[in-house]
Amino acid sequence: MKNTKTILWLVVAGWLGCSPGPTQKQITTGANVADTTILQQATVDTIVPPDYDTSQWTEVSRLLPDAVLDLRYATDNNFVDTVMYDCGRCFLRPEVALAIRDIQNELAEQGLGLKFFDCYRPRPIQYKLWEKVPDPRYVADPRKGSMHNRGAAVDLTIVDADGKELDMGTDFDFFGPRAYHNYTELSDTILSNRQLL
């Protein structure tokens, strides 16, 4: 399922740095993050300074240390069976990241959390996906770009306290009617999980 936010202007010279990034042990849980357009991540950044422009981008693992990352395009476990990214890092525009943080906090009150499959997607990757599946129902035409290419979309699901995905009726990137929002021939549990998502 995709959750898109506002369209944001994108000025990026190539892909954001793709070093392995900080480990969970290097990130201070509960870092003080101000509710402003430009995120202030002083607690975390004094430990491991960011290697990207924090006025334009937020790395989800810094903002939400407890979020589960399963960035499928950094593996071959995706619909093109090909590693598309050099490494798995999840970047979003600051405004989008703050909205996601609020959702994560709401879910945490229910013993739930978020699991991320895809975040910012560089335009060259969009072209590669389009070459594999040139169908605008499933992959945005890279000539126009997508919300992912602007850092304003995220593919995610909900997990329980043990990190197990709630049953949404299909796997990530399932192409078919069963994945449609209006598909109702599913169990009450699946429909309830989808409504929550």
PDB file of all heavy atoms in Angstrom, residues 9 13 20 26 32 71 98 106 120 124 157 163 186:
ATOM      1  N   TRP A   9       9.053  20.122  -4.102  1.00  0.00           N
ATOM      2  CA  TRP A   9      10.039  20.421  -5.141  1.00  0.00           C
ATOM      3  C   TRP A   9      11.317  19.666  -4.859  1.00  0.00           C
ATOM      4  O   TRP A   9      11.768  19.596  -3.730  1.00  0.00           O
ATOM      5  CB  TRP A   9      10.276  21.918  -5.148  1.00  0.00           C
ATOM      6  CG  TRP A   9      11.173  22.385  -6.224  1.00  0.00           C
ATOM      7  CD1 TRP A   9      11.065  22.157  -7.549  1.00  0.00           C
ATOM      8  CD2 TRP A   9      12.330  23.188  -6.064  1.00  0.00           C
ATOM      9  NE1 TRP A   9      12.067  22.765  -8.228  1.00  0.00           N
ATOM     10  CE2 TRP A   9      12.872  23.414  -7.325  1.00  0.00           C
ATOM     11  CE3 TRP A   9      12.969  23.749  -4.965  1.00  0.00           C
ATOM     12  CZ2 TRP A   9      14.007  24.157  -7.536  1.00  0.00           C
ATOM     13  CZ3 TRP A   9      14.100  24.501  -5.182  1.00  0.00           C
ATOM     14  CH2 TRP A   9      14.598  24.691  -6.458  1.00  0.00           C
ATOM     15  N   ALA A  13      21.362  16.622  -6.673  1.00  0.00           N
ATOM     16  CA  ALA A  13      22.450  16.354  -7.609  1.00  0.00           C
ATOM     17  C   ALA A  13      22.877  14.915  -7.385  1.00  0.00           C
ATOM     18  O   ALA A  13      23.758  14.627  -6.595  1.00  0.00           O
ATOM     19  CB  ALA A  13      23.603  17.304  -7.380  1.00  0.00           C
ATOM     20  N   PRO A  20      27.043   2.855   4.317  1.00  0.00           N
ATOM     21  CA  PRO A  20      26.186   1.981   5.102  1.00  0.00           C
ATOM     22  C   PRO A  20      25.314   2.727   6.109  1.00  0.00           C
ATOM     23  O   PRO A  20      24.266   2.257   6.479  1.00  0.00           O
ATOM     24  CB  PRO A  20      27.193   1.067   5.809  1.00  0.00           C
ATOM     25  CG  PRO A  20      28.372   1.051   4.907  1.00  0.00           C
ATOM     26  CD  PRO A  20      28.427   2.423   4.311  1.00  0.00           C
ATOM     27  N   GLN A  26      24.302   3.191  17.185  1.00  0.00           N
ATOM     28  CA  GLN A  26      24.877   4.521  17.102  1.00  0.00           C
ATOM     29  C   GLN A  26      23.826   5.617  17.202  1.00  0.00           C
ATOM     30  O   GLN A  26      24.157   6.776  17.311  1.00  0.00           O
ATOM     31  CB  GLN A  26      25.631   4.695  15.779  1.00  0.00           C
ATOM     32  CG  GLN A  26      26.869   3.825  15.677  1.00  0.00           C
ATOM     33  CD  GLN A  26      27.451   3.879  14.296  1.00  0.00           C
ATOM     34  OE1 GLN A  26      26.764   3.672  13.311  1.00  0.00           O
ATOM     35  NE2 GLN A  26      28.731   4.176  14.211  1.00  0.00           N
ATOM     36  N   ASN A  32      15.771  14.460  20.444  1.00  0.00           N
ATOM     37  CA  ASN A  32      14.881  15.614  20.428  1.00  0.00           C
ATOM     38  C   ASN A  32      14.756  16.154  19.009  1.00  0.00           C
ATOM     39  O   ASN A  32      15.703  16.669  18.451  1.00  0.00           O
ATOM     40  CB  ASN A  32      15.434  16.694  21.361  1.00  0.00           C
ATOM     41  CG  ASN A  32      14.540  17.908  21.409  1.00  0.00           C
ATOM     42  OD1 ASN A  32      13.353  17.806  21.141  1.00  0.00           O
ATOM     43  ND2 ASN A  32      15.100  19.037  21.744  1.00  0.00           N
ATOM     44  N   LEU A  71      13.991  -2.540   3.036  1.00  0.00           N
ATOM     45  CA  LEU A  71      14.029  -1.788   1.787  1.00  0.00           C
ATOM     46  C   LEU A  71      14.288  -2.749   0.632  1.00  0.00           C
ATOM     47  O   LEU A  71      15.417  -3.100   0.318  1.00  0.00           O
ATOM     48  CB  LEU A  71      15.068  -0.675   1.880  1.00  0.00           C
ATOM     49  CG  LEU A  71      14.778   0.292   3.044  1.00  0.00           C
ATOM     50  CD1 LEU A  71      15.880   1.315   3.181  1.00  0.00           C
ATOM     51  CD2 LEU A  71      13.431   0.963   2.873  1.00  0.00           C
ATOM     52  N   LEU A  98       8.024  14.044   9.251  1.00  0.00           N
ATOM     53  CA  LEU A  98       7.333  14.444  10.480  1.00  0.00           C
ATOM     54  C   LEU A  98       5.925  13.847  10.534  1.00  0.00           C
ATOM     55  O   LEU A  98       5.470  13.406  11.600  1.00  0.00           O
ATOM     56  CB  LEU A  98       7.267  15.971  10.581  1.00  0.00           C
ATOM     57  CG  LEU A  98       8.570  16.662  10.959  1.00  0.00           C
ATOM     58  CD1 LEU A  98       8.420  18.172  10.845  1.00  0.00           C
ATOM     59  CD2 LEU A  98       9.016  16.270  12.359  1.00  0.00           C
ATOM     60  N   GLU A 106       1.334   7.338  17.055  1.00  0.00           N
ATOM     61  CA  GLU A 106      -0.041   6.872  17.285  1.00  0.00           C
ATOM     62  C   GLU A 106      -0.103   5.350  17.332  1.00  0.00           C
ATOM     63  O   GLU A 106      -0.773   4.769  18.191  1.00  0.00           O
ATOM     64  CB  GLU A 106      -0.968   7.386  16.178  1.00  0.00           C
ATOM     65  CG  GLU A 106      -1.301   8.854  16.262  1.00  0.00           C
ATOM     66  CD  GLU A 106      -2.247   9.291  15.153  1.00  0.00           C
ATOM     67  OE1 GLU A 106      -3.078   8.460  14.718  1.00  0.00           O
ATOM     68  OE2 GLU A 106      -2.151  10.449  14.727  1.00  0.00           O
ATOM     69  N   TYR A 120      12.479   7.518  -0.650  1.00  0.00           N
ATOM     70  CA  TYR A 120      12.943   8.301  -1.800  1.00  0.00           C
ATOM     71  C   TYR A 120      13.542   7.357  -2.835  1.00  0.00           C
ATOM     72  O   TYR A 120      14.318   6.464  -2.497  1.00  0.00           O
ATOM     73  CB  TYR A 120      13.981   9.329  -1.370  1.00  0.00           C
ATOM     74  CG  TYR A 120      14.761   9.913  -2.528  1.00  0.00           C
ATOM     75  CD1 TYR A 120      14.122  10.721  -3.469  1.00  0.00           C
ATOM     76  CD2 TYR A 120      16.105   9.632  -2.708  1.00  0.00           C
ATOM     77  CE1 TYR A 120      14.825  11.237  -4.549  1.00  0.00           C
ATOM     78  CE2 TYR A 120      16.815  10.151  -3.781  1.00  0.00           C
ATOM     79  CZ  TYR A 120      16.171  10.950  -4.697  1.00  0.00           C
ATOM     80  OH  TYR A 120      16.859  11.455  -5.767  1.00  0.00           O
ATOM     81  N   PRO A 124      16.899   7.664 -11.882  1.00  0.00           N
ATOM     82  CA  PRO A 124      17.445   6.550 -12.674  1.00  0.00           C
ATOM     83  C   PRO A 124      16.849   5.192 -12.288  1.00  0.00           C
ATOM     84  O   PRO A 124      16.675   4.318 -13.145  1.00  0.00           O
ATOM     85  CB  PRO A 124      18.943   6.597 -12.377  1.00  0.00           C
ATOM     86  CG  PRO A 124      19.210   8.028 -12.027  1.00  0.00           C
ATOM     87  CD  PRO A 124      17.978   8.469 -11.287  1.00  0.00           C
ATOM     88  N   THR A 157       4.025  -0.781   5.728  1.00  0.00           N
ATOM     89  CA  THR A 157       2.954  -1.580   6.303  1.00  0.00           C
ATOM     90  C   THR A 157       3.036  -1.423   7.811  1.00  0.00           C
ATOM     91  O   THR A 157       3.877  -0.690   8.336  1.00  0.00           O
ATOM     92  CB  THR A 157       3.059  -3.059   5.864  1.00  0.00           C
ATOM     93  OG1 THR A 157       1.828  -3.732   6.191  1.00  0.00           O
ATOM     94  CG2 THR A 157       4.235  -3.766   6.524  1.00  0.00           C
ATOM     95  N   GLY A 163       7.491  -7.089  15.525  1.00  0.00           N
ATOM     96  CA  GLY A 163       7.971  -6.793  14.178  1.00  0.00           C
ATOM     97  C   GLY A 163       7.324  -7.618  13.096  1.00  0.00           C
ATOM     98  O   GLY A 163       7.721  -7.548  11.933  1.00  0.00           O
ATOM     99  N   LEU A 186     -12.131 -10.282   1.226  1.00  0.00           N
ATOM    100  CA  LEU A 186     -11.055 -10.602   2.154  1.00  0.00           C
ATOM    101  C   LEU A 186     -11.652 -10.843   3.538  1.00  0.00           C
ATOM    102  O   LEU A 186     -12.798 -10.474   3.796  1.00  0.00           O
ATOM    103  CB  LEU A 186     -10.051  -9.428   2.215  1.00  0.00           C
ATOM    104  CG  LEU A 186      -9.379  -9.034   0.904  1.00  0.00           C
ATOM    105  CD1 LEU A 186      -8.756  -7.652   1.026  1.00  0.00           C
ATOM    106  CD2 LEU A 186      -8.323 -10.064   0.520  1.00  0.00           C
TER     107      LEU A 186
END
